[in-house]
Amino acid sequence: MKKLVILLVVALEAFISSVNFASQPLVDTHADSLIANHKFVFIDGKPSSFETQQYVDSVRQVISAFYYDQFRHFQDPEAPYFLFMSKDAQLAMGIGGAVRMRGYFDWGGAIPSPGFAPYLIPMTPDPTANKQFNTTPAGTCIYFRVIGRNKVLGSYQLYIEANFNGYAARDFHLKKAYAIINDFTVGYASSTFSDPAAVPPTVDAQGPNNKISPTRVLLRYMPAFGKFSFGVSAETPDTEVAVDGVNTAKVKSWIPEGAALLQYQWAKGQHVRLAGIVRNLAYRDIAAQKNYNHTGWGLQLSSVAHPISPLTTYATVSYGHGYQQLGGDLQIGSYDLVADPETPGRLYAPAGFGWCLGIQYNFRPNLFVSVSASQSRYLPAKQVDPNDYKYGFFGAANVFWNLTPRMQVAAEFDLGMRRNFSGEKKFARRIGAMCQFSF
């Protein structure tokens, strides 16, 4: 199965690279309408040559940076409607956000979470929770962004975002806070190992069950060389080790994680990326009174492309040992290091594999449908409990409609399946809807 998926991804990339990208994708046409949908407040007076092409190009370049970020996810908020702009277009500051409301209905086995995660599908269904209707304001956010150019610093960005995603989906908590100065990024940002742009759109906040989506405090260097980009970063570790407190105990992380990527971008918003990460996984053998360190690692190949104007393709495939906490279904458990049943007091880093394929078709720039399928697999080298998770499947079909540049509605059908090592499997189904207002 793994080889088949890899061959499919390689074939997809070969097809993408052979297509003529001359016509503008409809998703870019929609982005252009958003770029034009802004109000400017000049903090030191209007420019004297407001209509000059040079000034117009400067403004478009500043605003485009909001929409063509290397690590922008589909569910990230739009650029702010109101922008404070300096007279020479060297500085822009926006205060924006989104009010997002989701409602969903489960049947045939309700998942006890607003996020549709196959890992959480009850293997012993509760007859009192076979169906469920719920709503959530999770994803409602507010943010500040500054983009500027300076003779000393060069180009720079500052970004702070906070979401209502905490307790009961209503607590306010920090989501991102970082600064970009030329090719350097420092702060709390998307990991270099992730590729949010290659994740297909979903109404469900959880998204594909192989989604690699960690946010870390990091220091990243990412220069561009024509159509190629290279990135390397040191990132704050966050591991999940399955210790029992009797034979094994946790050891504090003491080495930063190292991540790197190599990307080829042939057009705006279209790329192929290969990313990798190396992690130190530590634990203590209590009986032997000795600390052990394992090396965890992961690789991900990803792409987003527009083979023809109305079509967008998404593809990701990942594999590694001890990288499960970085995203997907296995993030919910403790699978970076697990117990070795043959040697009490010892742990090992099991393998994991995931893939996702998605297609989006735009009938109009502001109206599209998409379908996606993804899978996450747990591949231990030792014997496991028959009731442990073996793999999960997630499928989604949805429609998104931007009634105005700032108002979006959507509906989605989700199908999930969890299979255990015993061979037992259970399905879950969900219909969801969303309404979002951006400002």
Side-chain angles (χ1 to χ4, degrees):
M1 180 65 182
K2 181 170 67 176
K3 292 182 179 179
L4 176 60
V5 173
I6 293 175
L7 287 173
L8 287 172
V9 173
V10 172
L12 177 62
E13 302 303 341
F15 168 74
I16 290 170
S17 62
S18 66
V19 177
N20 182 5
F21 296 92
S23 58
Q24 175 168 284
L26 291 182
V27 293
D28 287 348
T29 302
H30 176 61
D32 288 344
S33 70
L34 288 169
I35 292 171
N37 183 247
H38 294 281
K39 297 296 182 182
F40 298 99
V41 178
F42 297 95
I43 58 178
D44 52 3
K46 277 191 175 184
S48 57
S49 54
F50 184 82
E51 298 297 332
T52 64
Q53 189 61 46
Q54 182 178 2
Y55 178 76
V56 173
D57 290 343
S58 296
V59 172
R60 288 182 62 86
Q61 182 180 356
V62 170
I63 305 304
S64 293
F66 285 98
Y67 294 101
Y68 294 103
D69 189 301
Q70 289 278 12
F71 292 93
R72 176 176 168 78
H73 185 268
F74 173 81
Q75 294 180 356
D76 287 348
E78 309 288 0
Y81 182 66
F82 289 99
L83 285 168
F84 295 94
M85 179 76 69
S86 65
K87 185 175 182 179
D88 56 4
Q90 297 298 301
L91 178 70
M93 183 183 75
I95 303 172
V99 176
R100 180 181 293 154
M101 297 293 163
R102 293 186 179 96
Y104 56 92
F105 173 71
D106 293 358
W107 74 97
I111 291 180
S113 170
F116 192 82
Y119 186 96
L120 298 176
I121 295 175
M123 300 306 288
T124 306
D126 182 352
T128 66
N130 190 49
K131 298 178 182 180
Q132 174 184 227
F133 170 76
N134 210 339
T135 59
T136 174
T140 297
C141 64
I142 187 168
Y143 70 92
F144 299 82
R145 191 161 201 167
V146 174
I147 298 179
R149 289 171 289 193
N150 182 274
K151 292 181 179 179
V152 177
L153 297 177
S155 298
Y156 63 91
Q157 297 184 42
L158 305 174
Y159 186 76
I160 299 175
E161 181 184 348
N163 280 29
F164 291 91
N165 282 345
Y167 176 74
R170 290 169 176 82
D171 281 1
F172 200 50
H173 80 286
L174 184 67
K175 183 178 181 181
K176 293 180 181 179
Y178 60 85
I180 299 176
I181 303 175
N182 295 320
D183 297 327
F184 289 91
T185 300
V186 59
Y188 189 51
S190 296
S191 169
T192 303
F193 185 55
S194 67
D195 189 359
V199 177
T202 59
V203 169
D204 180 72
Q206 187 75 13
N209 68 333
N210 79 314
K211 182 174 69 174
I212 303 296
S213 58
T215 303
R216 297 283 190 265
V217 175
L218 55 79
L219 174 61
R220 175 167 53 228
Y221 176 61
M222 189 171 172
F225 305 94
K227 295 183 178 181
F228 286 91
S229 297
F230 168 76
V232 61
S233 64
E235 306 184 4
T236 303
D238 183 10
T239 61
E240 288 292 340
V241 180
V243 298
D244 57 17
V246 177
N247 298 306
T248 54
K250 290 185 177 181
V251 173
K252 289 185 179 296
S253 300
W254 56 280
I255 299 177
E257 296 178 354
L261 68 83
L262 178 63
Q263 175 177 291
Y264 174 69
Q265 179 173 297
W266 59 87
K268 188 169 54 177
Q270 304 181 66
H271 65 253
V272 174
R273 176 184 295 180
L274 177 63
I277 193 167
V278 178
R279 322 174 69 206
N280 178 66
L281 307 171
Y283 73 97
R284 183 171 181 81
D285 184 332
I286 295 176
Q289 295 186 353
K290 184 178 180 179
N291 293 350
Y292 289 93
N293 293 278
H294 285 274
T295 300
W297 59 272
L299 292 173
Q300 177 169 261
L301 177 65
S302 56
S303 174
V304 57
H306 307 296
I308 56 177
S309 179
L311 191 67
T312 304
T313 60
Y314 305 89
T316 59
V317 59
S318 60
Y319 178 81
H321 286 256
Y323 82 114
Q324 286 83 344
Q325 198 276 333
L326 298 174
D329 260 6
L330 295 173
Q331 183 183 22
I332 300 172
S334 298
Y335 290 97
D336 287 343
L337 289 180
V338 298
D340 184 343
E342 301 171 1
T343 311
R346 299 299 295 272
L347 305 178
Y348 76 99
F353 172 72
W355 60 266
C356 177
L357 295 174
I359 298 177
Q360 172 182 324
Y361 187 87
N362 280 69
F363 296 101
R364 301 173 61 184
N366 64 335
L367 175 65
F368 70 82
V369 296
S370 79
V371 294
S372 61
S374 58
Q375 188 181 88
S376 184
R377 282 183 171 267
Y378 177 41
L379 304 171
K382 310 286 185 177
Q383 185 177 0
V384 299
D385 188 317
N387 294 321
D388 206 349
Y389 173 101
K390 184 177 183 180
Y391 68 85
F393 172 83
F394 173 83
N398 51 51
V399 55
F400 285 80
W401 182 23
N402 286 81
L403 286 80
T404 72
R406 296 286 166 176
M407 179 179 178
Q408 183 182 76
V409 293
E412 179 172 274
F413 170 71
D414 298 320
L415 175 66
M417 186 269 285
R418 169 175 170 156
R419 188 182 186 95
N420 289 346
F421 280 93
S422 65
E424 182 184 13
K425 62 182 179 180
K426 294 294 182 181
F427 289 87
R429 303 156 188 84
R430 172 174 290 182
I431 292 178
M434 182 196 71
C435 183
Q436 176 179 297
F437 301 86
S438 301
F439 61 90

